[in-house]
Amino acid sequence: MEDNIILKDKPLNGGQTQFIIFVKTIEVAKRLSEMLKIKAYNCESLIGTRAMSQTDQIIILDKFREKKIQGIVATSVAEEGIDIPDCDLVILYNYIGNEISYKQAMGRARKLKAKILVLGKPTDYDRETINKARIKYMEQAVEMIRSENVEEKIRNIIEEMVAKQELKMLTASQAETKPEGAANHRLICKCGHFEIDCSVLRCIDNTNYAALDVKLWDKIEEKPLTKKANTKSDLVMQAEWNHQGCQKKLGTIFLYNGVRLLYLSQKSFSYDTKDEDRPLPVQQWKKLPFQIPSLTIKELLEHQKLLMANGKN
C-alpha cells in the first residue's frame, strides 16, 4: 500500500481521514493492520468475539470514535451487530459479499462525501457493481410497497394461497376416489390355484387388510409364527396361514377385538378382473383399481357369528 494513497487525503470535515478496511479473514485483518502501523497509520484490527473479547472490541471502537486511532481493519464483525462510528472512507479489500453486506458497508461511510473503494480483482468490482444495482432495486421495491395498500395486498395474497390449497385438497380427494368394482376383481395366489373375491376385502386402521370369507378357512393351514408376535390392545398376532395346496405363506391370523381374521400379505398375491387372464402384482393395497372399504363393527360381529357357526372361532 503506497504512502500517498487516499488515506492521507484531508477529508472535507477537516482532520485526518477516518477509515474502515473490510477483509475476509482474521489473519489478513491482523497482518494488514500491522503493515499499516509500519507505514505510520494508527489503526487496530477488529475481529469477532471468538478471537477477541467484547471488552477489547469496545475499547477499539471508543478509540476510533474519539479519533485516538485513524482506522480499523475489520472482518464481517464490523458490518453488523455492533455500533461503528461514522468514517470518511470504507475500503473493501478482496472482500466480496452480497447486496446486504454491501449496503451495511455503505452505512459506515455516512459523512459528507465519504468514499467507498473496492480493491481486488476485476470480478470483485463487477460483483460489487451488481450488489449496488440490487440495492437500488430493493430500495425501489420498498418505496413501491410503501406507496400501496399493504394490508389489502397481504390479504389478497393470503386469500390466493388459501384458494390454491383448497383446490389442491379437492384435486387430491378426487384422485383418491375410485370407481366401485371390487366384485369384478379377484386376488390370486402365485400358484394360481387359490383365489379371493375382492368384494370380501376390508381395511383395518388404514394399514391392515383382511378377507371376511368363512369359506377360505377350509382352504388354508395354520402355521406357528416365524417371528415375534406383534400385539396391540385390540390386535393380537396368533399364527401364520398358508394355502393347503402350494404351502405358500399368504398372511397372518390376527385376533381383532376378539374375532379371528385372515390378514393378507400383499407380496403374496396378484390381482386381475374375472374376465381377464393377465394378473398384476399387488404392490400397494391403496393403489388397487378399486376401493377397499373399512371394516365396520356390524360386519365384524356378523363375521364372528359365521365363524362360530362353522366351528372356526
Side-chain angles (χ1 to χ4, degrees):
M1 193 173 290
E2 299 295 333
D3 289 344
N4 60 352
I5 64 171
I6 195 168
L7 297 184
K8 286 192 173 181
D9 289 351
K10 293 287 184 179
L12 294 179
N13 59 351
Q16 65 180 4
T17 300
Q18 294 284 110
F19 64 87
I20 299 176
I21 302 176
F22 286 107
V23 297
K24 284 184 178 180
T25 65
I26 294 174
E27 183 64 25
V28 173
K30 290 180 177 180
R31 296 187 65 178
L32 184 55
S33 64
E34 292 300 321
M35 290 175 60
L36 288 169
K37 287 177 183 177
I38 294 173
K39 296 288 186 177
Y41 295 105
N42 186 11
C43 65
E44 298 282 354
S45 60
L46 181 66
I47 53 184
T49 53
R50 284 184 295 181
M52 173 180 285
S53 69
Q54 191 172 15
T55 301
D56 289 340
Q57 286 182 347
I58 293 172
I59 291 173
I60 292 172
L61 291 173
D62 286 342
K63 287 182 179 180
F64 189 73
R65 188 177 289 106
E66 296 167 5
K67 294 183 171 51
K68 292 180 180 179
I69 58 175
Q70 184 181 359
I72 294 174
V73 183
T75 58
S76 60
V77 66
E79 276 187 12
E80 52 191 30
I82 58 177
D83 183 25
I84 304 292
D86 295 353
C87 62
D88 308 291
L89 175 65
V90 172
I91 298 176
L92 306 179
Y93 179 66
N94 286 329
Y95 181 88
I96 303 301
N98 54 28
E99 61 271 24
I100 304 299
S101 60
Y102 184 80
K103 178 70 173 178
Q104 289 169 332
M106 288 176 60
R108 304 307 174 195
R110 291 187 287 258
K111 289 186 178 179
L112 181 63
K113 293 190 177 180
K115 297 179 180 179
I116 296 180
L117 296 181
V118 177
L119 300 180
K121 302 184 293 293
T123 53
D124 295 340
Y125 178 80
D126 293 341
R127 179 66 180 273
E128 291 300 354
T129 301
I130 293 172
N131 286 338
K132 190 174 181 180
R134 286 176 174 171
I135 290 170
K136 182 178 179 181
Y137 295 143
M138 287 167 55
E139 291 173 344
Q140 289 176 349
V142 170
E143 288 302 318
M144 187 181 300
I145 291 174
R146 285 176 177 172
S147 64
E148 296 179 356
N149 187 332
V150 178
E151 291 184 4
E152 183 179 353
K153 193 176 186 68
I154 292 175
R155 185 168 58 252
N156 291 338
I157 291 173
I158 293 174
E159 289 176 354
E160 183 179 352
M161 290 174 62
V162 170
K164 286 182 178 179
Q165 184 64 23
E166 289 177 347
L167 179 61
K168 183 178 179 181
M169 292 173 64
L170 178 61
T171 303
S173 175
Q174 291 174 344
E176 291 176 359
T177 302
K178 301 174 184 178
E180 294 293 335
N184 295 323
H185 291 79
R186 61 182 177 178
L187 294 182
I188 306 171
C189 174
K190 293 185 178 179
C191 71
H193 300 292
F194 179 80
E195 63 182 58
I196 300 174
D197 190 314
C198 289
S199 64
V200 303
L201 300 183
R202 292 296 182 269
C203 175
I204 301 171
D205 297 334
N206 291 319
T207 54
N208 298 299
Y209 293 82
L212 271 65
D213 186 351
V214 177
K215 296 177 182 179
L216 294 176
W217 290 82
D218 294 327
K219 302 176 183 179
I220 70 164
E221 290 183 358
E222 296 186 30
K223 298 289 184 179
L225 292 171
T226 57
K227 61 180 180 179
K228 185 178 179 180
N230 180 21
T231 60
K232 297 181 180 179
S233 59
D234 57 351
L235 197 64
V236 181
M237 185 185 296
Q238 289 191 321
E240 295 175 358
W241 63 276
N242 299 350
H243 173 222
Q244 289 178 353
C246 66
Q247 292 296 308
K248 181 176 179 60
K249 178 186 172 182
L250 299 180
T252 310
I253 298 174
F254 273 87
L255 193 66
Y256 178 65
N257 288 325
V259 182
R260 302 186 82 205
L261 296 176
L262 295 177
Y263 279 63
L264 309 176
S265 172
Q266 66 184 30
K267 63 183 180 181
S268 300
F269 289 95
S270 299
Y271 74 95
D272 67 0
T273 58
K274 294 177 181 178
D275 55 356
E276 291 184 0
D277 192 25
R278 290 182 297 174
L280 298 172
V282 178
Q283 296 179 340
Q284 291 185 29
W285 293 114
K286 292 182 179 180
K287 291 189 176 181
L288 289 173
F290 52 85
Q291 200 81 28
I292 300 178
S294 296
L295 177 64
T296 66
I297 296 297
K298 182 179 179 181
E299 288 175 328
L300 188 64
L301 293 175
E302 290 177 353
H303 186 65
Q304 184 181 31
K305 291 178 182 178
L306 290 172
L307 288 174
M308 293 176 66
N310 288 271
K312 305 298 182 183
N313 198 24

